[in-house]
Amino acid sequence: MSALPKKILIAPLDWGLGHTTRCLPVIAALLQEGHTVIAAAEGAPASILKAQFPGLQMLPLKGYEIRYSRNAKMFMPKLLLQIPKIIGRIIYEHRWLKRVQAQHQFDIIISDNRYGLYHPALTSIIMTHQVQILSGMGKLADKVLLSRHRSMLERFDQCWVVDDATKGLSGILAHPEKMPDNATYIGPLSQFMRYAAPDTTADHCLVLLSGPEPMRSQLEHMLWCQCCTLTDYRFIFVAGNIKGKAPDHCPEHIQYYPYLGGAALQEAMATARLVICRSGYSTLMDLDYLQKPAILIPTPGQTEQEYLARYWADSGRAVQYSQDNIQLEAGIAHIYNKHHNISTKTSTDRNGNGLKALSLWLRQQLYK
């Protein structure tokens, strides 16, 4: 492949916003290298991409539109019932790509966990951190899922695994017994790689909510009630609801935002003493990039988040609570007393070098 600028289509999955936010540094690096980048998305992912890159051309592409159960016990059964719908969307996006490729003539497609976006006429790349899917139904089921998932990932020319080969923020998810033959580790991708981090640390706790409804709203209510009583601490409360509004009465020790993104969110997290959040992998990559301890509350029934919360708690990087047993005051006191295993990165690690390294890595991969 010649070292000329490429025309690249990038398409994040709409399964939460993390797939979109981790595409932001990739898009920034590609644009910095002089490539033409076009994104495929609708709804909230498209809104985030347009907000961060106002000049970015967008192609409308339907998401998977997964619906979630209100209780943990039904989370996996309800997800399994939607498998026919997911398969239908994979078939749809594969046919969609054939149509738009005939019109746009892309050189490269980068898909974040969208399994139908591969094409024989262009370099097809899939990004994922979860090579090993955890079923919650035992090792045999997980082994069958790994075999099936590997075959799906190997339809692509390259599989970029969003983690380090040895360090590992995701444990077994990105380091299973057998990797896909086309896999290579791209390293963690934080949305904050594009910004210089502030050198000062404020004395506040950041509550950062994300994820699907109705679980997001349930957690917001639980945390809001506890934060309101903890007047000895100062909170920045980010509800993670793009269309939301602030409550009618907000206590003086709480600063409330329906949603924050980009540099504003980076500043709120970089200047926090700790972060209270879900254990979604993109959030964990942001925590790792800014070297922040956390109180992790996994989405009930979501096996990936439950595993990641345990994995990070076992490594001493976080405190974890189940959603029905949140002890915010105890968790904050534990972290404020420095009972965590966080080694602070130097300012040079957080001032753009990550994006430079990503640009170099992409250059090597795209011109193979």
Side-chain angles (χ1 to χ4, degrees):
M1 189 179 288
S2 62
L4 296 173
K6 303 296 178 183
K7 189 175 184 181
I8 301 173
L9 178 66
I10 188 163
L13 183 66
D14 68 329
W15 204 318
L17 298 179
H19 295 280
T20 303
T21 58
R22 73 185 185 190
C23 284
L24 298 178
V26 176
I27 293 171
L30 291 172
L31 292 173
Q32 187 172 285
E33 289 291 305
H35 301 292
T36 298
V37 180
I38 298 174
E42 287 184 351
S47 298
I48 290 173
L49 292 171
K50 289 295 289 183
Q52 297 300 311
F53 301 99
L56 189 68
Q57 184 179 343
M58 301 288 302
L59 297 178
L61 175 60
K62 290 181 181 178
Y64 287 17
E65 298 175 339
I66 301 301
R67 296 185 180 275
Y68 297 87
S69 171
R70 286 184 173 272
N71 76 63
K73 291 182 179 179
M74 290 302 297
F75 185 93
M76 188 57 69
K78 187 165 184 176
L79 191 59
L80 292 173
L81 287 173
Q82 295 175 83
I83 287 178
K85 177 183 178 180
I86 294 171
I87 293 172
R89 288 299 167 91
I90 291 172
I91 294 170
Y92 167 83
E93 67 191 14
H94 188 63
R95 293 172 177 169
W96 176 89
L97 180 59
K98 287 182 177 180
R99 294 197 304 271
V100 299
Q101 175 62 9
Q103 178 183 354
H104 291 275
Q105 295 297 300
F106 297 108
D107 299 302
I108 298 167
I109 166 77
I110 300 175
S111 161
D112 190 320
N113 272 94
R114 301 195 68 143
Y115 295 98
L117 294 181
Y118 59 93
H119 194 289
L122 67 161
T123 300
S124 302
I125 299 163
I126 188 165
M127 292 201 315
T128 187
H129 69 275
Q130 194 175 8
V131 180
Q132 175 65 71
I133 298 174
L134 300 178
S135 65
M137 294 181 285
K139 291 184 178 180
L140 180 59
D142 290 350
K143 188 172 183 178
V144 172
L145 280 174
L146 174 61
S147 177
R148 177 58 182 152
H149 194 212
R150 284 179 58 246
S151 68
M152 295 175 70
L153 296 172
E154 287 171 353
R155 294 172 181 169
F156 293 78
D157 297 301
Q158 299 179 37
C159 173
W160 293 354
V161 181
V162 189
D163 201 352
D164 290 325
T166 54
K167 180 183 177 183
L169 301 181
S170 61
I172 196 174
L173 301 183
H175 305 84
E177 290 183 3
K178 186 171 177 57
M179 292 290 287
D181 292 338
N182 58 345
T184 184
Y185 289 97
I186 187 174
L189 293 173
S190 170
Q191 62 180 312
F192 303 136
M193 294 167 71
R194 300 177 294 149
Y195 307 110
D199 291 327
T200 58
T201 299
D203 192 19
H204 71 260
C205 306
L206 173 65
V207 177
L208 180 60
L209 301 183
S210 60
E213 297 290 359
M215 299 296 189
R216 188 210 61 80
S217 294
Q218 291 173 1
L219 183 59
E220 179 180 0
H221 175 72
M222 293 175 185
L223 291 178
W224 179 257
C225 291
Q226 292 199 29
C227 288
C228 286
T229 66
L230 299 178
T231 55
D232 289 340
Y233 300 103
R234 194 166 71 85
F235 295 92
I236 292 181
F237 198 107
V238 181
N241 184 5
I242 294 177
K243 298 180 180 179
K245 61 178 183 178
D248 293 333
H249 172 69
C250 193
E252 290 185 1
H253 68 290
I254 302 178
Q255 206 172 341
Y256 183 97
Y257 298 94
Y259 178 81
L260 282 181
L265 177 59
Q266 186 262 2
E267 183 176 0
M269 185 179 286
T271 57
R273 286 190 65 178
L274 64 89
V275 182
I276 303 156
C277 57
R278 292 292 194 196
S279 50
Y281 187 60
S282 293
T283 301
L284 298 184
M285 289 192 291
D286 291 340
L287 291 171
D288 173 71
Y289 184 72
L290 296 176
Q291 292 292 282
K292 295 296 174 180
I295 296 174
L296 299 177
I297 307 161
T299 300
Q302 191 164 329
T303 53
E304 174 197 350
Q305 287 199 15
E306 290 172 344
Y307 167 79
L308 287 170
R310 290 194 304 270
Y311 180 72
W312 273 54
D314 289 346
S315 70
R317 299 173 61 89
V319 174
Q320 68 149 337
Y321 293 110
S322 62
Q323 185 162 302
D324 60 0
N325 186 37
I326 301 170
Q327 301 174 41
L328 208 54
E329 186 172 15
I332 293 172
H334 183 83
I335 291 175
Y336 271 34
N337 290 326
K338 300 189 182 299
H339 295 297
H340 58 77
N341 184 24
I342 298 289
S343 57
T344 306
K345 291 184 178 180
T346 65
S347 59
T348 55
D349 292 328
R350 298 179 284 120
N351 284 345
N353 286 350
L355 193 62
K356 292 176 184 176
L358 176 60
S359 295
L360 178 60
W361 189 92
L362 289 171
R363 196 180 309 156
Q364 294 168 343
Q365 293 298 313
L366 299 181
Y367 293 118
K368 279 185 175 179

